[in-house]
Amino acid sequence: MIAVSSLAHERCVACRSDAPGLTGAEIDALRSEVPRWSVLEREGIGRLERAFRFANFAEALAFTNRVGAIAESEGHHPAITTEWGRVTVAWWTHAIGGLHRNDFVMSAKTDVLYAGT
């Protein structure tokens, strides 16, 4: 059985552009909840990113659609790249140009979706 992060049970909160981003210590503490995700910087913006493997394009596309559905329901939207046998998902908070607790919540929710495939 796969351990589910308690973050997966949280909901995203509205985030304004003046909301503080996470500190390095806060990021480090939350990383243990989503250990398969990488914290990286692209275009000067901190993000959480993970690649998911699938047997074919149809499975990858179905997963992409499930991630899109939870993104819509939470009002928080990732960058998703869908390829044959692989989906890469990146979460960050556009309003603050970096990482917020919402990104870790959505990463945990994405892990739950993947575990159910």
Side-chain angles (χ1 to χ4, degrees):
M1 183 153 165
I2 297 172
V4 174
S5 166
S6 62
L7 290 172
H9 302 291
E10 293 184 25
R11 303 266 322 170
C12 284
V13 297
C15 186
R16 298 176 8 182
S17 61
D18 61 349
L22 295 175
T23 66
E26 290 169 326
I27 290 169
D28 288 344
L30 289 168
R31 284 191 74 191
S32 66
E33 294 290 320
V34 290
R36 293 184 178 107
W37 291 78
S38 298
V39 176
L40 48 91
E41 190 173 304
R42 292 199 193 281
E43 301 171 2
I45 298 171
R47 305 165 191 239
L48 285 168
E49 186 172 291
R50 181 176 173 193
F52 298 87
R53 300 276 179 198
F54 298 91
N56 53 51
F57 185 78
E59 289 179 14
L61 184 58
F63 179 73
T64 297
N65 289 329
R66 288 193 304 277
V67 172
I70 65 163
E72 254 325 276
S73 72
E74 293 285 340
H76 193 54
H77 304 91
I80 306 173
T81 303
T82 305
E83 307 171 74
W84 191 96
R86 181 171 134 154
V87 175
T88 303
V89 180
W91 293 102
W92 75 97
T93 300
H94 299 81
I96 64 171
L99 290 172
H100 184 275
R101 184 176 184 90
N102 289 342
D103 304 305
F104 286 87
V105 167
M106 294 307 291
S107 295
K109 288 178 182 290
T110 306
D111 284 345
V112 169
L113 286 178
Y114 186 66
T117 58

